[in-house]
Amino acid sequence: MSDSQSQALPLLDVDRAAGAIADLHPWLVQEGFPHLERYPWPGHLPSLYHDPGILRRFVSGESNSWQASALSSLYYAWLAGRCSDLWMLCQAFMLCEPVEQARLERRLTPARCRRLLEAGLLAAKGGSYVSLARVTPWQGRLFWHDAPPGFRESWVFLGADSVEFARQIASWIVRQPSASYKRVLDLCTGAGIHALTLAGMASEVAGADINPRALAFARLNATMNAVTNASFHLSNLFDGVPAGPFDLIVSNTPFVFLPDEMRVRCVDGDGGAMGIELVLR
């Protein structure tokens, strides 16, 4: 999809689309969408450096979620040849590429596509459907967030840094099998992947973010993944978080160093002065 095409698409109204997502989410799980975590994401020539590790993980059935591969097209060709239906779902909801309307309707049924259109989750463009939300598979769960392009006000990103931090958290949890916390806080929670990863080792998890749309996605992801001990709060760092104390605090702070004219268009990535303003605060 060209930039001009994608820029014309609106941001998803998360609350309006929640009902349609609640119908689609378990169907995607049933159809094997979580298995797409094994497949890498499109990369460039320098990504060849990572491809030996990606191949090892792919062969052993491990996670390659948001691992950029210069050879991603070969993995997708393998997927298309072995399971064309899952490849189409990958195109539509993971890569967020346009998919021919008749083709997607045959897979999802015309009635479901109509509901997704009415809810604003799908947009019809040039004889194709385009998803306004992206689904990232991670540890058997599916996490919803905004589809590209980025750098739009209140756009909610869940990308390589978010998944890598979730990997580090998950690895840390494995190394502490007896660890248990009463209360955990996740600052700058975004779409909620870190808070929900920690929910299994805490009685209560609070996620905080300055972006109301991020909180809407985080609440949606908690509901879709049946996590009941997480709450999400509108907050500028600590300003609006529930009263402490907390046994553990984690944060994947925004870190992008942006010119002033772009800062309002990237609230999820804007790290302020030198990209470290929030870290210093």
Side-chain angles (χ1 to χ4, degrees), residues 90-174:
C90 175
Q91 287 179 291
F93 297 109
M94 192 169 98
L95 301 179
C96 295
E97 297 175 347
V99 176
E100 184 184 354
Q101 289 183 7
R103 186 168 163 242
L104 195 62
E105 287 177 356
R106 282 195 298 271
R107 190 74 189 95
L108 270 66
T109 75
R112 177 174 277 126
C113 286
R114 185 165 56 251
R115 287 196 298 271
L116 297 178
L117 272 173
E118 291 170 352
L121 181 62
L122 289 182
K125 263 185 113 53
S128 296
Y129 288 128
V130 182
S131 176
L132 273 64
R134 168 171 275 167
V135 186
T136 290
W138 165 243
Q139 287 199 332
R141 292 172 169 173
L142 302 182
F143 291 90
W144 296 81
H145 52 107
D146 277 320
F151 292 97
R152 291 182 287 167
E153 187 177 1
S154 80
W155 183 75
V156 179
F157 183 56
L158 191 164
D161 62 296
S162 300
V163 173
E164 180 55 35
F165 189 37
R167 284 193 182 97
Q168 297 296 328
I169 290 172
S171 175
W172 177 73
I173 290 172
V174 168

Side-chain angles (χ1 to χ4, degrees), residues 47-278:
S47 304
L48 274 172
Y49 176 83
H50 301 286
D51 268 306
I54 288 171
L55 178 60
R56 177 191 60 77
R57 288 188 295 272
F58 180 79
V59 171
S60 59
E62 298 175 32
S63 174
N64 279 308
S65 183
W66 276 103
Q67 296 284 343
S69 168
L71 306 174
S72 60
S73 59
L74 298 179
Y75 292 97
Y76 298 148
W78 169 271
L79 176 62
R82 290 176 60 88
C83 187
S84 59
D85 287 342
L86 187 56
W87 164 233
M88 181 177 59
L89 296 178
C90 175
Q91 287 179 291
F93 297 109
M94 192 169 98
L95 301 179
C96 295
E97 297 175 347
V99 176
E100 184 184 354
Q101 289 183 7
R103 186 168 163 242
L104 195 62
E105 287 177 356
R106 282 195 298 271
R107 190 74 189 95
L108 270 66
T109 75
R112 177 174 277 126
C113 286
R114 185 165 56 251
R115 287 196 298 271
L116 297 178
L117 272 173
E118 291 170 352
L121 181 62
L122 289 182
K125 263 185 113 53
S128 296
Y129 288 128
V130 182
S131 176
L132 273 64
R134 168 171 275 167
V135 186
T136 290
W138 165 243
Q139 287 199 332
R141 292 172 169 173
L142 302 182
F143 291 90
W144 296 81
H145 52 107
D146 277 320
F151 292 97
R152 291 182 287 167
E153 187 177 1
S154 80
W155 183 75
V156 179
F157 183 56
L158 191 164
D161 62 296
S162 300
V163 173
E164 180 55 35
F165 189 37
R167 284 193 182 97
Q168 297 296 328
I169 290 172
S171 175
W172 177 73
I173 290 172
V174 168
R175 294 196 302 271
Q176 301 189 82
S178 61
S180 179
Y181 296 95
K182 185 175 180 181
R183 303 183 74 213
V184 172
L185 173 64
D186 175 27
L187 282 180
C188 309
T189 194
I193 186 172
H194 308 128
L196 300 181
T197 299
L198 285 161
M201 65 179 304
S203 300
E204 175 189 343
V205 178
D209 203 283
I210 198 172
N211 184 355
R213 289 189 73 254
L215 298 176
F217 271 115
R219 293 181 183 118
L220 174 72
N221 286 324
T223 300
M224 293 301 100
N225 291 291
V227 176
T228 58
N229 62 331
S231 61
F232 297 94
H233 309 269
L234 186 66
S235 181
N236 185 343
L237 290 185
F238 291 98
D239 290 351
V241 302
F246 293 95
D247 304 305
L248 175 69
I249 300 175
V250 301
S251 185
N252 179 28
T253 56
F255 55 81
V256 182
F257 180 30
L258 295 169
D260 289 343
E261 64 272 16
M262 294 186 68
R263 293 182 66 181
V264 295
R265 289 164 41 203
C266 189
V267 65
D268 273 30
D270 175 28
M274 300 303 295
I276 59 172
E277 180 179 314
L278 291 176

